[in-house]
Amino acid sequence: MILKIDFESDLPIYIQLKTQIIEGIAAGVLKEGDPLPSVRQMASDLGINLHTVNKAYTFLKQDGFITVHRQKGVVINSIHGRRVNEDYLARLHKDLSSLAAEAYCRGMNEEEFKNICTELFTKFKSQSPKW
Amino acid sequence: MILKIDFESDLPIYIQLKTQIIEGIAAGVLKEGDPLPSVRQMASDLGINLHTVNKAYTFLKQDGFITVHRQKGVVINSIHGRRVNEDYLARLHKDLSSLAAEAYCRGMNEEEFKNICTELFTKFKSQSPKW
Amino acid sequence: MILKIDFESDLPIYIQLKTQIIEGIAAGVLKEGDPLPSVRQMASDLGINLHTVNKAYTFLKQDGFITVHRQKGVVINSIHGRRVNEDYLARLHKDLSSLAAEAYCRGMNEEEFKNICTELFTKFKSQSPKW
Amino acid sequence: MILKIDFESDLPIYIQLKTQIIEGIAAGVLKEGDPLPSVRQMASDLGINLHTVNKAYTFLKQDGFITVHRQKGVVINSIHGRRVNEDYLARLHKDLSSLAAEAYCRGMNEEEFKNICTELFTKFKSQSPKW
DNA sequence: GTGGTCTAGACCACG
DNA sequence: GTGGTCTAGACCACC
């Protein structure tokens, strides 16, 4: 999987990493059991510091997306490690609410907004169809 | 309109302000032409720094949500000031994509996700129905 | 509150910090709303790096013992932020089980073990009696 | 006795080994004089490194739980090899104190805590009742 | 060679 | 001045 860091972005690098890996999992590019490069490897690949990669991995581990296996290294978790819980739902609602508010304020149609949402979601679904 | 600052949130205060004002507009609590308190007033009301309020207003002005009149003070713009443009669409897609990816990874159903999205959007629509 | 780092210990410094702060809360030395020194301050007080302090604070924040208030700085949480949940209970059982096993293996009496446990617990209770 | 390694645990494998063997002794599954597999054997059984098993055995030997005979191999010691001494008591107090502190901070009742402690201890007692 | 820990020093966003 | 982020370089425990 190819990761791309935008050094100009206002988002911290470790957040970009985390997001892209989650999108990779959603898109089926990364599947259960797939290995991720070691922190050192990925850091040198991307030209960033190993601590930055480590931070991204730590968050992913915490949220159940990956686990650090003492022999296999860093591997993608099965979906069972990362269920929808209350905290997540609250966060999702808050984030979506502000996006919806701005879209509505800018005059976006209900249909348009719904279409964008479902389009993005189904894109992932069609790419990794088997869960 | 009542604004509530969460001083323990990880979001900067000025972002919270900006978001809540946009949500206020979307919910119809703030309508075209409505005045907003002056920077000083709002800062003292909320017990925060002048600069912080100023920063929020600056962003809102940039995005066309408000106008700062020397005499009338700060007022809400009409919708025409803030159309959907390319930059905004790109940003929206990126933000929604990462939210959709995480939702999908956590096993959320397509229906569920769509429902949350439309529910949040229609909530605004029903509250400020006339555009 | 006085913190003491054992640089010879096999426990990481940030764990020692975290543990001592929790014990401070349990002992009533640190109460709800009490401020903790800034990372820089505590780091220089203890002669350690600010990142190490930061790590301890991050864990404490995660577990609901403290929150970072944008104006008041770092403050001790009310008890409501840190309830007993399933994950914690599982961890507690595992830790206690191995301690109990070793105590039993070394020939410790059931009474002795129980007494040590309750004695330590009631020590905290008597020191911060009001919850 | 069946040992189970969790390769994704944050505890080192040799600690897991050591702990499980002690718990095995406490539970009466391993009794005085019982043999333990050789380093090589156990390593290949569990699919782990020789050094790792060796390290676990070394610690167990140090603490008097096992003896390594050149001919009889590794055997479980009698209880007399591993008495409660001052060092151990100090360690136990420290470990239990931090567990008790966190339990108390999370609002756990004195009764609850005592019950968990005694329950875990008596579990071992009932399984290997005769010392 | 791996991740975990610690240090040192730097810049920036925030308030 | 605060915490957040990033870098660089180092040592150690683990396997």
Side-chain angles (χ1 to χ4, degrees):
Chain A
M1 171 168 191
I2 297 158
L3 298 172
K4 256 191 89 60
I5 303 300
D6 178 3
F7 292 97
E8 314 289 308
S9 168
D10 50 341
L11 281 94
I13 296 177
Y14 76 92
I15 295 284
Q16 295 184 43
L17 272 183
K18 184 187 133 208
T19 307
Q20 288 186 40
I21 289 171
I22 292 180
E23 290 181 353
I25 298 176
V29 181
L30 297 172
K31 298 186 202 64
E32 178 182 347
D34 281 359
L36 244 44
S38 75
V39 286
R40 285 177 160 79
Q41 184 63 44
M42 175 166 287
S44 88
D45 287 355
L46 297 173
I48 60 178
N49 193 281
L50 85 172
H51 290 113
T52 308
V53 179
N54 198 17
K55 199 165 184 174
Y57 278 14
T58 302
F59 277 83
L60 287 166
K61 190 166 59 179
Q62 225 173 255
D63 282 357
F65 289 100
I66 62 174
T67 60
V68 179
H69 188 108
R70 289 200 121 85
Q71 293 173 327
K72 298 184 206 159
V74 182
V75 295
I76 304 293
N77 258 3
S78 93
I79 193 178
H80 306 299
R82 42 178 206 262
R83 280 290 170 208
V84 170
N85 59 27
E86 236 177 71
D87 284 357
Y88 168 68
L89 266 185
R91 182 158 56 84
L92 179 64
H93 268 83
K94 203 156 147 261
D95 291 351
L96 274 177
S97 177
S98 62
L99 289 181
E102 181 161 3
Y104 182 63
C105 280
R106 287 176 185 270
M108 193 177 275
N109 194 308
E110 182 182 343
E111 277 305 310
E112 289 177 77
F113 187 74
K114 197 177 73 181
N115 285 344
I116 296 177
C117 289
T118 50
E119 174 207 326
L120 287 167
F121 194 90
T122 29
K123 193 184 64 187
F124 291 125
K125 195 183 167 187
S126 65
Q127 286 173 339
S128 67
K130 295 194 246 253
W131 289 352
Chain B
M1 171 170 193
I2 297 158
L3 297 173
K4 254 191 92 61
I5 302 300
D6 178 1
F7 291 99
E8 299 170 0
S9 166
D10 48 344
L11 280 91
I13 295 177
Y14 78 92
I15 296 281
Q16 295 183 45
L17 274 183
K18 183 188 134 210
T19 307
Q20 287 185 43
I21 290 172
I22 293 179
E23 290 181 354
I25 299 176
V29 181
L30 297 171
K31 297 186 202 66
E32 178 181 346
D34 281 0
L36 242 46
S38 72
V39 173
R40 299 192 114 72
Q41 184 63 45
M42 176 166 286
S44 91
D45 286 355
L46 298 173
I48 60 178
N49 196 298
L50 285 178
H51 302 338
T52 309
V53 180
N54 204 8
K55 199 163 184 174
Y57 279 10
T58 304
F59 276 87
L60 287 166
K61 193 168 60 181
Q62 240 171 42
D63 283 356
F65 288 101
I66 62 174
T67 307
V68 180
H69 278 101
R70 246 182 227 311
Q71 288 143 348
K72 298 187 207 160
V74 183
V75 295
I76 305 293
N77 268 357
S78 92
I79 192 178
H80 306 299
R82 42 179 206 263
R83 279 293 172 203
V84 170
N85 58 27
E86 241 176 64
D87 280 1
Y88 169 68
L89 265 184
R91 182 160 56 84
L92 178 64
H93 267 84
K94 204 161 146 253
D95 290 351
L96 274 178
S97 177
S98 64
L99 289 181
E102 181 160 3
Y104 181 62
C105 280
R106 286 178 186 268
M108 194 177 276
N109 196 308
E110 183 181 343
E111 277 306 309
E112 290 176 78
F113 187 73
K114 198 177 70 181
N115 286 343
I116 295 177
C117 290
T118 51
E119 175 207 324
L120 288 167
F121 195 90
T122 30
K123 193 184 63 188
F124 292 125
K125 193 181 166 188
S126 66
Q127 287 172 338
S128 65
K130 293 194 247 245
W131 290 351
Chain C
M1 171 170 195
I2 297 159
L3 298 173
K4 258 190 86 62
I5 302 300
D6 178 2
F7 291 97
E8 315 288 308
S9 168
D10 50 341
L11 280 93
I13 297 177
Y14 76 92
I15 296 283
Q16 295 184 45
L17 272 183
K18 185 188 131 204
T19 307
Q20 287 185 43
I21 290 172
I22 292 179
E23 289 180 353
I25 298 175
V29 182
L30 297 171
K31 297 184 204 67
E32 178 181 347
D34 281 359
L36 244 44
S38 75
V39 285
R40 285 177 161 78
Q41 184 63 46
M42 175 166 285
S44 89
D45 287 355
L46 298 173
I48 60 178
N49 192 280
L50 84 171
H51 291 115
T52 308
V53 179
N54 198 16
K55 198 164 184 175
Y57 278 14
T58 302
F59 277 83
L60 287 167
K61 191 166 57 179
Q62 225 173 255
D63 282 357
F65 289 100
I66 63 175
T67 60
V68 179
H69 189 107
R70 289 200 120 83
Q71 294 173 328
K72 298 183 204 156
V74 182
V75 297
I76 304 292
N77 258 3
S78 94
I79 193 179
H80 305 299
R82 40 178 208 262
R83 280 289 170 209
V84 170
N85 59 27
E86 235 176 73
D87 283 358
Y88 169 67
L89 266 185
R91 182 159 57 85
L92 178 65
H93 267 83
K94 204 158 147 261
D95 290 351
L96 274 178
S97 178
S98 63
L99 288 181
E102 181 161 3
Y104 182 63
C105 280
R106 287 177 185 270
M108 192 176 276
N109 195 309
E110 181 181 345
E111 277 306 310
E112 290 177 77
F113 187 74
K114 197 177 72 181
N115 286 343
I116 296 177
C117 289
T118 50
E119 174 209 323
L120 287 168
F121 194 90
T122 30
K123 192 184 64 187
F124 292 124
K125 194 182 167 186
S126 65
Q127 286 172 339
S128 65
K130 293 194 247 250
W131 288 352
Chain D
M1 171 170 191
I2 296 159
L3 298 172
K4 253 189 91 59
I5 302 301
D6 179 1
F7 290 99
E8 299 170 1
S9 166
D10 49 342
L11 282 92
I13 295 176
Y14 78 91
I15 297 282
Q16 295 184 45
L17 273 183
K18 183 187 135 212
T19 307
Q20 287 186 40
I21 290 171
I22 293 179
E23 289 182 355
I25 299 175
V29 182
L30 297 171
K31 297 184 201 66
E32 178 181 348
D34 281 0
L36 244 43
S38 73
V39 173
R40 300 192 114 71
Q41 184 62 45
M42 176 165 286
S44 90
D45 286 356
L46 298 173
I48 60 179
N49 197 298
L50 284 178
H51 301 339
T52 309
V53 179
N54 203 11
K55 198 162 186 175
Y57 278 10
T58 304
F59 277 86
L60 287 166
K61 193 168 59 182
Q62 241 173 41
D63 283 357
F65 289 100
I66 61 175
T67 306
V68 180
H69 278 102
R70 248 184 226 308
Q71 289 143 348
K72 299 189 208 158
V74 183
V75 295
I76 305 293
N77 266 358
S78 93
I79 192 176
H80 305 299
R82 43 179 205 263
R83 279 292 174 206
V84 170
N85 58 26
E86 240 177 63
D87 281 0
Y88 169 68
L89 264 186
R91 182 159 57 84
L92 179 65
H93 267 83
K94 205 162 146 251
D95 290 351
L96 274 177
S97 176
S98 62
L99 288 181
E102 181 160 3
Y104 181 63
C105 279
R106 286 178 186 269
M108 193 178 275
N109 196 309
E110 183 182 344
E111 278 304 310
E112 291 176 75
F113 187 74
K114 198 177 70 182
N115 286 343
I116 295 177
C117 290
T118 50
E119 174 207 326
L120 287 168
F121 195 89
T122 29
K123 194 184 61 186
F124 292 124
K125 193 182 169 188
S126 66
Q127 286 173 339
S128 65
K130 301 194 240 251
W131 289 353

